[in-house]
Amino acid sequence: MNDMMRELVDILNKASKAYYAEDTEIMSNFEYDKLYDELVALEKETGITLSDSPTIHVGYEVVSSLPKEKHPAPMLSLDKTKGVDTLRDWLGSQPGLLSWKMDGLTVVLTYDGGELVKAVTRGNGEVGEVITANARTFKNIPLRIAYKGHLVIRGEAVISYSDFERINSEIPETDAKYKNPRNLCSGSVRQLNSEITGKRSVMFFAFSMVDPEDSELMDSFENSFKKRFEFLMRQGFQVVEYKEVTGENIADTVKWFAAKLPENDFPSDGLVLVLEDVAYGRSLGMTAKFPRDAIAFKWADEEAETVLTEIEWSPSRTGLINPVAIFDPVDLEGTEVRRASLHNISYIKDMKLGIGDRIKVYKANMIIPQISENLTCSGELTIPDKCPACGGETEIRNENGTETLVCINPDCPAKNIKLFSLFVSRNAMNIDGISEATLEKFIAEGFLHGLSDIYRLSEHRDRIVLLEGFGEKSYNNILSSIDKSRECSMAGFLYGLGITGVGVANAKLIVKSFGNDFDKIMNATREELRDIDQIGDVIAGDFTAYMSNEKNRAEIEKLRKEITFVIEENNSPQDLAGKTFVITGSLVTFPNRDALKKVIEDRGGKVSGSVSAKTDYLINNDINSNSSKNKNAKKLGVPIITEEDFLGMK
């Protein structure tokens, strides 16, 4: 029994990490809830709770480059139920407030002196990410409030369905579109560039506040959760929509929310019931994971019956070949659904899936299609022994009790997706409209094996226009971008080949040193490359090894037949020769760092990614910031200059 508990803990923790820390899903909510309930039952039966059980731990450590900060008090999740009777029994004779349980990213705001001074994500409940600059761009957040004391507010950052659809409508490829508003919101709130956050129309809805130290303000709340909401509204905050409830009217109020759900523009995965009497709720205490003054209600999922018609096997960059169920279209939550992820082979076997089976499908949180039940359980499904991308051998691997299908060909184009993505990127061949998701789709369909195949996509026109999310318009846009890229810079082309150590700057140095002669570049010796300033022995070795590979040379020759090099004249004075710059922070005059970098390089200078003793100038418009680059520059005596200072340099 302990082994079963350990297996459940490992599976649930892996799923939680993917959901909370990586913004992905490896199992459905339906499956997660089922396994979670099994674990709770086993813990009750045995009296044992493992130290890393998800029933006593909340979320996972955040993984990003954003600064991290510990919350003053842990942010616990809520116990949950799908039964209205359970809600009524939980409330008993107490009054309560019933509100939307919004599906976004929880954020904690801190105000001092009436000013927003800090915003931190929930993170793992104990440590979150500091996103203050991003929070200031939320559409409905007050940057200043009337109350001048110390105030800490908790709420949910969300993106509306209408804004979600608007943002997705601007993305031509289906595979590149965001899966749901929550993932879009999470990625938007945690951006390193607050300008991107500002364009995403993020909204903030307050749902609670930390007790203020102001005793007079606390007395005015009279232990009322509703009065706290009213106070926040007076300060300019939007709070979650709520209704006052008792045991007598809670069932009707749940129905009221359910009836409003189809017209609700904000994503919600249920309701929250909190006790109106704050002091009474606090007196109930809490478990290791759940406070006892509130409980979550999750909607019962709408299901539809259909027939499984096909399994699509989609190769990925990791070598995993992911199964996707294709079934007769059904209407769920007002939209047509015909596809659902199957996660892995173990899931397929557990569900006993086979082509022609009658299955039940639903939308988790009314968004993500999932299979909930197999009614016929034929189990007659053949696992492919050939990779659909490269035709190479596949094998079934078992890791921690989960079986997955893997392509074992190291040269499978699906594994080299980063190379294809680099080749089409702005600083390389600058082919607009071909996202990484589109590349993955084309590779999975067998259209792309080498880089030169990009220039022969027209051969697959009839199949491309029939792919889900594509059509004549998308196809024509892609072909137009490809044709524009046929005239390209030699340095961009060289960079796009993905040679180890040859970034944009080094590619330009090599092209310049060999006088824009690509034949000389291909046949350059290690010694010739080492003679180029800033090209060391390691890069020279990697470069010559790449160019001496017959397969690489053959692919380059195929590409050269498709393109024409445009020689760029550089009449800029070389007044920055020998100078090394580092660029950090936001820019005002230049549209982006690449534009500033080009000016520096055209004038003979070099741009580095980090401050060192060899750095001549750090360009940062916020000279007094406490960023790590500023601190290093001051420590090393490197001058910190603004864009204006740079433009004035002679």
Side-chain angles (χ1 to χ4, degrees):
M1 192 168 292
N2 284 355
D3 289 342
M4 186 180 300
M5 290 172 64
R6 164 52 57 193
E7 182 179 2
L8 287 170
V9 166
D10 290 343
I11 292 171
L12 290 168
N13 282 344
K14 184 178 179 182
S16 291
K17 182 177 181 181
Y19 185 79
Y20 288 108
E22 300 165 358
D23 296 330
T24 59
E25 294 182 6
I26 60 174
M27 69 168 59
S28 67
N29 287 358
F30 186 95
E31 185 178 8
Y32 183 93
D33 289 346
K34 179 181 177 184
L35 296 178
Y36 186 95
D37 291 341
E38 287 180 15
L39 178 60
V40 170
L42 285 172
E43 289 179 348
K44 286 182 178 179
E45 181 180 347
T46 62
I48 298 171
T49 302
L50 299 174
S51 62
D52 57 345
S53 171
T55 64
I56 60 168
H57 284 74
V58 184
Y60 271 80
E61 295 294 334
V62 291
V63 284
S64 85
S65 57
L66 290 168
K68 298 177 178 63
E69 181 171 301
K70 188 173 183 179
H71 295 296
M75 297 183 64
L76 303 178
S77 58
L78 299 178
D79 199 359
K80 61 184 183 296
T81 181
K82 290 186 178 181
V84 176
D85 290 342
T86 304
L87 281 185
R88 184 189 297 109
D89 293 343
W90 181 91
L91 187 59
S93 60
Q94 291 290 321
L97 298 180
L98 193 63
S99 63
W100 294 114
K101 183 177 182 293
M102 291 192 160
D103 193 19
L105 192 71
T106 300
V107 174
V108 183
L109 304 180
T110 301
Y111 288 78
D112 274 312
E115 302 278 344
L116 173 65
V117 296
K118 186 167 56 182
V120 184
T121 67
R122 178 185 184 278
N124 70 345
E126 294 187 359
V127 177
E129 297 166 302
V130 180
I131 48 110
T132 310
N134 295 345
R136 290 194 174 105
T137 71
F138 292 176
K139 282 179 65 176
N140 64 333
I141 200 170
L143 298 181
R144 296 181 179 85
I145 59 176
Y147 179 69
K148 302 305 179 185
H150 182 76
L151 189 65
V152 179
I153 304 162
R154 294 173 176 176
E156 197 81 354
V158 297
I159 290 179
S160 68
Y161 284 117
S162 53
D163 283 321
F164 170 74
E165 295 296 338
R166 173 183 58 79
I167 293 169
N168 260 354
S169 68
E170 297 168 358
I171 303 173
E173 302 87 2
T174 293
D175 287 350
K177 295 179 187 291
Y178 295 96
K179 292 182 178 179
N180 55 61
R182 180 193 179 276
N183 284 355
L184 173 59
C185 181
S186 179
S188 300
V189 170
R190 298 163 67 204
Q191 283 287 330
L192 298 180
N193 184 349
S194 60
E195 182 180 359
I196 298 175
T197 308
K199 293 177 179 178
R200 298 285 175 80
S201 300
V202 179
M203 302 282 283
F204 177 85
F205 292 90
F207 57 66
S208 70
M209 61 186 292
V210 176
D211 286 347
E213 298 173 356
D214 186 338
S215 58
E216 185 176 337
L217 180 62
M218 279 289 291
D219 289 343
S220 71
F221 293 154
E222 299 175 355
N223 282 325
S224 166
F225 209 98
K226 180 185 175 184
K227 287 186 180 295
R228 292 178 177 230
F229 271 166
E230 292 172 345
F231 166 76
L232 291 176
M233 287 188 282
R234 289 197 300 272
Q235 302 304 311
F237 293 96
Q238 281 188 261
V239 302
V240 290
E241 186 176 24
Y242 66 91
K243 291 283 185 181
E244 298 178 64
V245 292
T246 64
E248 286 71 32
N249 72 355
I250 191 167
D252 289 337
T253 308
V254 170
K255 289 180 181 178
W256 181 89
F257 276 102
K260 194 170 182 180
L261 195 60
E263 65 187 48
N264 189 23
D265 197 29
F266 292 96
S268 165
D269 56 355
L271 303 172
V272 173
L273 176 60
V274 62
L275 293 171
E276 157 67 355
D277 188 327
V278 176
Y280 174 72
R282 296 275 174 79
S283 72
L284 300 177
M286 60 184 66
T287 67
K289 184 174 181 180
F290 305 126
R292 291 195 172 100
D293 60 349
I295 187 172
F297 172 81
K298 298 190 71 174
W299 305 107
D301 300 302
E302 178 186 344
E303 290 185 311
E305 206 173 297
T306 184
V307 175
L308 181 66
T309 58
E310 181 186 351
I311 302 293
E312 178 184 280
W313 297 90
S314 179
S316 70
R317 71 195 68 182
T318 63
L320 283 174
I321 302 177
N322 301 304
V324 178
I326 313 295
F327 42 80
D328 289 338
V330 292
D331 185 78
L332 286 175
E333 314 294 349
T335 61
E336 186 180 89
V337 178
R338 60 177 70 225
R339 299 163 60 90
S341 171
L342 294 176
H343 310 295
N344 50 56
I345 292 178
S346 293
Y347 182 88
I348 290 173
K349 289 182 176 179
D350 290 344
M351 296 289 286
K352 297 182 175 62
L353 291 171
I355 304 302
D357 279 351
R358 292 204 63 79
I359 57 175
K360 284 187 175 182
V361 295
Y362 74 107
K363 273 189 175 182
N365 292 340
M366 291 176 281
I367 296 172
I368 304 169
Q370 304 284 352
I371 296 177
S372 58
E373 187 178 356
N374 185 0
L375 302 175
T376 46
C377 298
S378 70
E380 298 175 356
L381 188 66
T382 302
I383 308 299
D385 57 4
K386 301 291 183 185
C387 171
C390 67
E393 299 294 325
T394 64
E395 70 176 29
I396 297 175
R397 293 181 182 172
N398 190 317
E399 295 184 8
N400 299 320
T402 300
E403 288 186 326
T404 56
L405 186 65
V406 178
C407 172
I408 60 176
N409 175 17
D411 297 321
C412 177
K415 295 181 181 179
N416 296 320
I417 185 66
K418 287 298 182 185
L419 172 60
F420 285 89
S421 183
L422 172 69
F423 186 78
V424 303
S425 67
R426 182 178 62 185
N427 288 326
M429 299 303 288
N430 194 23
I431 304 178
D432 289 331
I434 301 187
S435 67
E436 204 164 283
T438 296
L439 289 168
E440 288 179 335
K441 172 69 74 175
F442 288 171
I443 289 170
E445 293 290 333
F447 302 158
L448 302 177
H449 298 280
L451 295 176
S452 59
D453 291 326
I454 290 173
Y455 291 95
R456 292 190 287 274
L457 279 172
S458 59
E459 298 173 5
H460 308 287
R461 179 243 173 228
D462 292 344
R463 290 175 61 190
I464 291 174
V465 297
L466 294 176
L467 292 176
E468 185 175 358
F470 289 83
E472 288 287 351
K473 185 176 180 180
S474 295
Y475 169 80
N476 289 333
N477 287 341
I478 289 173
L479 262 290
S480 176
S481 295
I482 291 172
D483 285 340
K484 287 180 182 177
S485 77
R486 292 180 185 275
E487 291 189 351
C488 63
S489 74
M490 191 176 294
F493 175 77
L494 187 62
Y495 166 64
L497 295 177
I499 304 170
T500 303
V502 181
V504 177
N506 284 341
K508 291 179 179 178
L509 286 172
I510 293 170
V511 169
K512 183 179 179 181
S513 297
F514 286 94
N516 293 289
D517 189 326
F518 203 82
D519 288 323
K520 287 183 179 180
I521 292 173
M522 285 185 67
N523 297 297
T525 66
R526 191 165 183 164
E527 290 72 23
E528 288 174 322
L529 289 161
R530 277 195 313 228
D531 288 341
I532 301 173
D533 184 35
Q534 301 171 20
I535 302 293
D537 186 63
V538 174
I539 294 176
D542 289 335
F543 190 94
T544 52
Y546 179 92
M547 288 299 181
S548 64
N549 182 292
E550 289 302 320
K551 183 179 178 181
N552 292 338
R553 293 179 74 89
E555 189 64 22
I556 289 173
E557 291 305 326
K558 290 179 183 177
L559 284 165
R560 291 180 69 183
K561 292 177 181 178
E562 303 286 348
I563 63 174
T564 301
F565 292 130
V566 177
I567 307 302
E568 297 180 357
E569 295 291 335
N570 180 17
N571 298 317
S572 301
Q574 299 300 290
D575 55 340
L576 299 181
K579 301 294 185 183
T580 299
F581 295 78
V582 173
I583 306 168
T584 191
S586 59
L587 300 177
V588 177
T589 305
F590 292 88
N592 52 55
R593 293 185 188 180
D594 285 338
L596 175 53
K597 182 178 179 182
K598 184 178 187 304
V599 170
I600 293 171
E601 291 174 346
D602 285 347
R603 292 169 61 183
K606 178 187 175 184
V607 177
S608 177
S610 58
V611 177
S612 70
K614 296 180 180 180
T615 304
D616 292 288
Y617 297 98
L618 170 64
I619 300 176
N620 187 353
N621 286 321
D622 187 359
I623 291 178
N624 297 315
S625 80
N626 290 317
S627 69
S628 59
K629 286 188 173 68
N630 271 31
K631 289 179 180 177
N632 286 340
K634 291 175 182 177
K635 181 179 178 181
L636 296 169
V638 174
I640 304 173
I641 63 175
T642 65
E643 280 177 271
E644 185 177 354
D645 295 330
F646 169 78
L647 292 170
M649 293 179 70
K650 301 293 185 182

